[in-house]
Amino acid sequence: MDSPFQDPLRFERRVPPCIIVIFGANGDLTKRKLLPALYRLAYERRIPPNFAVIGNSRTEMTDDAFRSKMRESVEKFLENSPFDEGLWNDFARNLFYLAGDITKQEMFDQLKTRLGEIDESHKTEGNVLFYLSTQPSYYATLAENIGKAGLQQDTKGWRRLVVEKPFGHDLKTARELNDRIHTVFREDEVYRIDHYLGKETVQNILAFRFGNGIFEPLWNRRYVDNVQITAAESIGVEGRGAYYQEAGTLRDMIQNHLLQVMSTIAMEPPAVFEANATRDERAKLLRSIRIFKPEEVPLNAVAGQYGPASVGGEDLPGFRQEEGVDPNAQTDTYAAVTFHVDNWRWAGVPFYIRSGKRLPKRITDIAIRFKSAPLSLFPAELDDGSRPNLLIVRIQPEEGISLRFLSKHPGSGMNLRPVSMDFNYGSSFGTRSPTAYETLLVDAMIGDPTLYTRQDMVEASWSAVQPVLDDWGQRKFDFPNYAAGTWGPKESDEMLARNGHAWRVP
Amino acid sequence: MPTGLQPEKILGELGKLWTELAHPEKGPATASGVLRACAMTLIVATNDAADAEAASEGLAQLMHEHPSRAIVLRPADGGELSARVFAQCWMPFGSRQQICCEQIEITASLAKLGDVPGLMLGLVAPDLPVVLWCRGPRWFAAPHFNELLALTRKVIIDSATCDSPRSAFDLIERLGSHDRIVADLAWARITGWREIISHSFATPADVEAAAVIREVHVQYAGPSAPPEALYLGAWLKRGMPHANLSLDRVDGPPGIRGVSLDDLVYQAGEGSTIEVRSPKGSHAAMLPPTTECAAMREELSIIRPDPIYERVRGAARELAA
């Protein structure tokens, strides 16, 4: 029945009554992202009054102490939004805290009692979203303990589980984690968060590709020469050295975020814009990535680690000099991989993906380089010699799309020079974009998994990088091999040069 | 076509303006140049010189979210048609490049208004929607104004500027009868109220319960029921067909001050807060800004028919009768 009270043209999507249980509520993610996102949703009237949050961690704390701690975080980390005292007081009344050890069953028995009380007082209709924001090693135990306490099901409402990355440490552990979670939750109740997919500009790739008729005919091996995906950070590990040396860039960025971005850029159009249809196409693309034989890995993957350097008068430490890092660490702070997609659309088109720390600037973009015109009418020395047509999808920091093409330079003679046609997301839609966590939290509460990764997608992306992980795990690298503030090791340039290509400078 | 003021001349001046902006030594641009942004043509028909100034200030804010080729129509007591062009530029936070939109200001007496539509035809940005923001009702009585209306996909008015809600609703009815989208800023100003009220009727069971509500009161402050109160009353009646609707005048700052639906009460509080009280308890909700600029932002983001508004405005007109 159409409600006479709804106005989808003007009203924002609103979440149903529910309780969010955050495990790891004393951690950075809760303070920096989750609570500011929830407060912002309340500010925009997207959260109903019958809504509550139960935070859990080991630290003993009263509800009031938790509220005041969360208030500090929200005031500090709220982006582009005002803080309203009255609204906060109202919002904070729905925040609760339960101290306890997530490995002990008694904690879950207490949680069950608390959930029952709050469901009764707040009329949350039995709906509960469990958010795992703890150390990844606890994910499976947490899910199992939720199951042992019988919290995974309710006679009247829904129960969902949100899992932060990393989903496993490799293919084997990802499968194990999935299997253990599935003993308690069905796949359609599991929401694996990859915040890159929640970014407005990554979602905009779908609009750009499938909302317009002019690009899709060019989006294939016949016209595309190569695709480059870059996710560069100018900062180092910033106090996360201990974590990072166990993870590395390939695991931390490429296996999840960048392969998801690649799947969005390269997937086939879904039959309908609906969660499973879209995820099916992403999964198909990921399964089409060629799995390297051991001897192919050195030709298609490059690991790097930054060394100390002076940049702009500032002395920057090398990775091995960072706090908490083993002085002989073999961790990749830079990774570049050439992926090949074995399907009819992309056969023969290399997808170059690179990511690294302490690169010259912070930027994430996708560059689609088109083939040259079939016949060169103009003498080669008159242009810059490179394939001129480049479509760049900028994800951060300045979201937008640029198309580069050649134009005649004014004057006598046919002097060609590249020019750029820009679409700037911020200038065309100056409105504040929701943060990725706002988008994804609403989706999880509404029950829309379109922007969440599914088990088969996770396993397919681990499969794609597993041969590289296996190879790098056996090798001893001569690190560091690039200086902080540069675009990575020379071997990365050589990898592209073997195909007659070069990294663009973003 | 007027002599001495041709579209080509104005477009030529615009071209020169962009060339200057693109050269840092000549314009205010940075070394990265400027980014030209345009998503529509926004024609703004103002009431007088002071109103044209106020409109320009509003446009400077609106452009950030809805970059446009803005054409401000400024009435004069007499004289020939004249035009000037300039750019609205701003540097987005953290950006290296200025974003600029173009603005054309045309000064015309009512006697010369007949020349304006022909001029506009050559000035609208190609292939983009044309929106007319009419800041006062006098334009609709001007000769040849219908020709200007014929260019537009959407017309935005503010019924609060009309003599009475009744005359405003009559005007809207007339404008809307030509397959054109018509919007009223008074409707946009109550979006926050409607959204907060809709939260109480989110489920089918809630909607069924609404149908048996008996008493609906919309409280407003001001000398007489403003268009906002009429719209809100008409919208509420759609979901509560058996209720008695009453528009009650109360003290306070002008505008909607509260709504009660039997024992469900929505009361404007301090600042932008609305207190929602029901037998189950109470909570606060934030009302979004209701400034002219905020209402315009909302309307400019909708360049297609708004079926709910179209249904409600007829009922509001009946209430005003």
Side-chain angles (χ1 to χ4, degrees):
Chain A
M1 172 166 98
D2 278 347
S3 166
F5 298 101
Q6 298 309 314
D7 190 345
L9 206 55
R10 292 175 190 257
F11 298 171
E12 294 281 3
R13 287 190 310 169
R14 195 156 189 259
V15 305
C18 67
I19 302 172
I20 299 186
V21 180
I22 302 175
F23 296 102
N26 207 19
D28 250 17
L29 181 74
T30 306
K31 291 186 233 173
R32 285 172 181 269
K33 300 289 182 190
L34 299 182
L35 257 294
L38 288 170
Y39 170 80
R40 176 71 206 188
L41 291 172
Y43 187 89
E44 293 193 334
R45 304 169 303 285
R46 299 178 72 178
I47 283 185
N50 32 2
F51 167 85
V53 174
I54 303 177
N56 159 266
S57 76
R58 282 172 199 260
T59 315
E60 286 294 337
M61 221 183 320
T62 62
D63 287 344
D64 280 340
F66 179 62
R67 287 167 188 152
S68 105
K69 202 166 191 171
M70 290 305 113
R71 179 190 170 127
E72 274 176 39
S73 306
V74 169
E75 283 189 281
K76 189 171 175 187
F77 296 113
L78 195 58
E79 292 173 22
N80 306 324
S81 300
F83 181 85
D84 184 272
E85 184 79 32
L87 182 71
W88 171 262
N89 291 337
D90 214 49
F91 177 76
R93 280 207 295 272
N94 298 330
L95 302 184
F96 302 92
Y97 185 76
L98 177 65
D101 184 342
I102 49 177
T103 62
K104 301 272 170 43
Q105 201 53 44
E106 65 200 46
M107 200 288 288
F108 290 86
D109 295 336
Q110 289 171 21
L111 177 61
K112 187 173 190 172
T113 307
R114 203 77 195 265
L115 279 171
E117 290 165 359
I118 294 172
D119 183 46
E120 182 66 27
S121 62
H122 283 62
K123 306 281 182 263
T124 51
E125 300 175 6
N127 300 328
V128 181
L129 186 74
F130 297 103
Y131 199 111
L132 309 192
S133 178
T134 61
Q135 283 184 26
S137 54
Y138 289 113
Y139 289 170
T141 308
L142 260 165
E144 286 166 350
N145 286 344
I146 289 169
K148 281 181 199 158
L151 297 175
Q152 85 285 16
Q153 56 191 14
D154 184 79
T155 49
K156 48 180 183 164
W158 47 255
R159 300 288 159 109
R160 296 181 190 133
L161 183 76
V162 179
V163 188
E164 272 286 337
K165 70 142 195 164
F167 318 116
H169 193 67
D170 52 24
L171 179 59
K172 180 168 170 279
T173 53
R175 282 181 174 152
E176 283 168 5
L177 176 61
N178 281 328
D179 288 347
R180 288 178 70 186
I181 287 175
H182 285 158
T183 61
V184 180
F185 290 95
R186 296 190 313 265
E187 176 60 23
D188 65 308
E189 296 170 325
V190 181
Y191 287 66
R192 296 173 193 82
I193 215 164
D194 186 324
H195 74 268
Y196 255 61
L197 289 182
K199 286 179 183 288
E200 284 279 316
T201 36
V202 175
Q203 295 176 61
N204 194 33
I205 294 170
L206 297 175
F208 179 77
R209 286 192 58 198
F210 305 130
N212 297 294
I214 58 170
F215 301 110
E216 223 25 46
L218 307 177
W219 219 258
N220 57 53
R221 61 190 304 277
R222 191 166 172 199
Y223 297 102
V224 175
D225 188 70
N226 66 86
V227 178
Q228 298 185 11
I229 301 176
T230 300
E233 292 276 2
S234 57
I235 57 172
V237 289
E238 306 292 304
R240 292 170 67 225
Y243 159 76
Y244 203 83
Q245 73 175 353
E246 296 305 318
T249 299
L250 187 65
R251 282 189 174 93
D252 193 49
M253 289 295 293
I254 294 182
Q255 180 274 330
N256 38 67
H257 301 320
L258 299 185
L259 280 178
Q260 291 303 328
V261 168
M262 176 178 155
S263 71
T264 310
I265 271 288
M267 68 191 244
E268 295 297 317
V272 287
F273 188 61
E274 180 262 315
N276 268 335
T278 308
R279 298 199 298 175
D280 285 347
E281 296 304 336
R282 280 203 174 103
K284 266 166 62 186
L285 189 283
L286 290 168
R287 283 198 299 272
S288 304
I289 295 175
R290 187 186 307 163
I291 307 298
F292 296 130
K293 296 185 185 108
E295 64 273 19
E296 291 173 330
V297 172
L299 296 172
N300 290 290
V302 173
Q305 186 186 92
Y306 62 87
S310 176
V311 177
E314 186 188 354
D315 289 330
L316 301 175
F319 178 67
R320 289 172 174 177
Q321 288 76 49
E322 300 271 12
E323 192 185 334
V325 173
D326 177 352
N328 297 308
Q330 286 285 303
T331 310
D332 51 306
T333 63
Y334 175 98
V337 183
T338 305
F339 288 106
H340 304 273
V341 178
D342 287 338
N343 65 17
W344 278 45
R345 186 190 282 260
W346 295 115
V349 178
F351 283 75
Y352 301 116
I353 299 187
R354 64 176 161 173
S355 179
K357 298 255 177 219
R358 285 267 187 245
L359 300 184
K361 64 176 171 183
R362 172 179 170 259
I363 192 159
T364 302
D365 67 14
I366 304 152
I368 295 146
R369 195 177 284 280
F370 291 91
K371 291 180 177 171
S372 302
L375 180 68
S376 183
L377 291 179
F378 308 105
E381 63 271 22
L382 293 184
D383 65 30
D384 71 354
S386 67
R387 291 167 186 84
N389 296 132
L390 194 61
L391 183 75
I392 299 160
V393 180
R394 299 187 304 275
I395 294 174
Q396 59 186 19
E398 285 184 29
E399 300 93 333
I401 294 168
S402 299
L403 180 65
R404 196 184 79 151
F405 52 91
L406 286 183
S407 174
K408 180 184 174 298
H409 191 267
S412 61
M414 284 301 285
N415 291 313
L416 305 189
R417 57 180 275 184
V419 293
S420 179
M421 194 161 69
D422 289 334
F423 161 73
N424 184 305
Y425 206 63
S427 67
S428 291
F429 305 103
T431 182
R432 173 192 174 277
S433 295
T435 63
Y437 277 93
E438 285 169 44
T439 303
L440 293 169
L441 280 168
V442 167
D443 284 356
M445 288 186 269
I446 286 175
D448 178 356
T450 308
L451 301 176
Y452 284 85
T453 48
R454 214 169 46 188
Q455 175 194 2
D456 55 343
M457 296 159 72
V458 171
E459 291 184 7
S461 57
W462 275 120
S463 298
V465 299
Q466 193 61 50
V468 183
L469 289 171
D470 292 342
D471 180 81
W472 290 2
Q474 295 164 8
R475 285 168 62 182
K476 185 161 170 45
F477 292 103
D478 187 17
F479 284 157
N481 60 351
Y482 73 98
T486 66
W487 279 110
K490 66 175 178 8
E491 291 84 353
S492 181
D493 298 327
E494 290 164 3
M495 178 176 78
L496 270 70
R498 284 194 289 274
N499 295 334
H501 297 144
W503 286 114
R504 49 182 286 276
V505 179
Chain B
M1 184 62 59
T3 54
L5 190 59
Q6 302 288 335
E8 290 78 8
K9 185 172 172 237
I10 299 171
L11 293 174
E13 284 175 23
L14 272 182
K16 266 193 260 173
L17 179 72
W18 284 112
T19 307
E20 282 173 15
L21 289 169
H23 290 86
E25 68 280 10
K26 292 179 183 169
T30 63
S32 305
V34 296
L35 195 64
R36 182 181 188 174
C38 185
M40 69 181 81
T41 299
L42 177 59
I43 302 171
V44 188
T46 65
N47 296 314
D48 50 38
D51 189 46
E53 294 301 319
S56 284
E57 283 172 25
L59 281 172
Q61 294 178 52
L62 281 174
M63 292 284 183
H64 293 213
E65 209 164 308
H66 298 285
S68 320
R69 173 177 289 179
I71 305 177
V72 176
L73 209 47
R74 177 184 177 137
D77 292 333
E80 292 298 318
L81 275 178
S82 64
R84 68 184 183 109
V85 300
F86 53 97
Q88 297 262 18
C89 296
W90 65 97
M91 181 71 87
F93 179 74
S95 175
R96 290 165 297 159
Q97 199 172 34
Q98 281 201 109
I99 299 169
C100 292
C101 293
E102 54 206 13
Q103 190 166 324
I104 303 168
E105 190 176 276
I106 295 174
T107 305
S109 64
L110 280 184
K112 292 284 179 189
L113 197 61
D115 295 331
V116 171
L119 185 62
M120 291 289 186
L121 260 182
L123 291 181
V124 297
D127 308 313
L128 291 172
V130 179
V131 176
L132 170 65
W133 176 18
C134 209
R135 289 171 60 90
R138 63 183 283 205
W139 284 100
F140 295 103
H144 305 288
F145 197 69
N146 280 342
E147 292 168 43
L148 186 58
L149 281 173
L151 297 177
T152 62
R153 181 154 166 195
K154 178 169 183 172
V155 182
I156 302 171
I157 69 157
D158 188 344
S159 54
T161 62
C162 296
D163 294 338
S164 68
R166 176 64 201 251
S167 64
F169 295 147
D170 286 347
L171 172 65
I172 290 167
E173 192 65 22
R174 270 203 319 277
L175 290 171
S177 61
H178 294 284
D179 199 22
R180 185 184 300 116
I181 304 166
V182 187
D184 182 357
L185 296 184
W187 174 249
R189 281 195 287 271
I190 61 164
T191 299
W193 279 96
R194 292 193 302 122
E195 193 170 6
I196 290 166
I197 292 168
S198 77
H199 296 165
S200 305
F201 305 100
T203 66
D206 297 333
V207 175
E208 277 178 30
V212 297
I213 284 176
R214 292 289 158 195
E215 293 296 327
V216 174
H217 293 266
V218 176
Q219 297 169 336
Y220 65 89
S224 60
E228 289 90 337
L230 294 161
Y231 279 136
L232 193 53
W235 179 73
L236 287 167
K237 274 290 278 180
R238 287 183 67 229
M240 300 161 193
H242 307 301
N244 295 313
L245 171 67
S246 154
L247 307 180
D248 307 330
R249 186 170 175 272
V250 296
D251 291 332
I256 306 287
R257 304 309 307 158
V259 171
S260 67
L261 312 170
D262 286 348
D263 52 8
L264 191 54
V265 177
Y266 307 83
Q267 197 68 49
E270 291 292 312
S272 307
T273 311
I274 288 182
E275 190 188 0
V276 183
R277 296 194 300 270
S278 75
K280 295 177 194 165
S282 69
H283 69 274
M286 290 299 290
L287 200 60
T290 52
T291 58
E292 180 181 64
C293 193
M296 273 300 290
R297 268 195 202 110
E298 183 175 320
E299 287 304 336
L300 290 179
S301 63
I302 303 169
I303 308 288
R304 56 179 162 139
D306 178 350
I308 292 175
Y309 171 62
E310 286 170 7
R311 271 178 241 147
V312 169
R313 75 183 186 213
R317 187 167 173 242
E318 284 171 22
L319 279 179

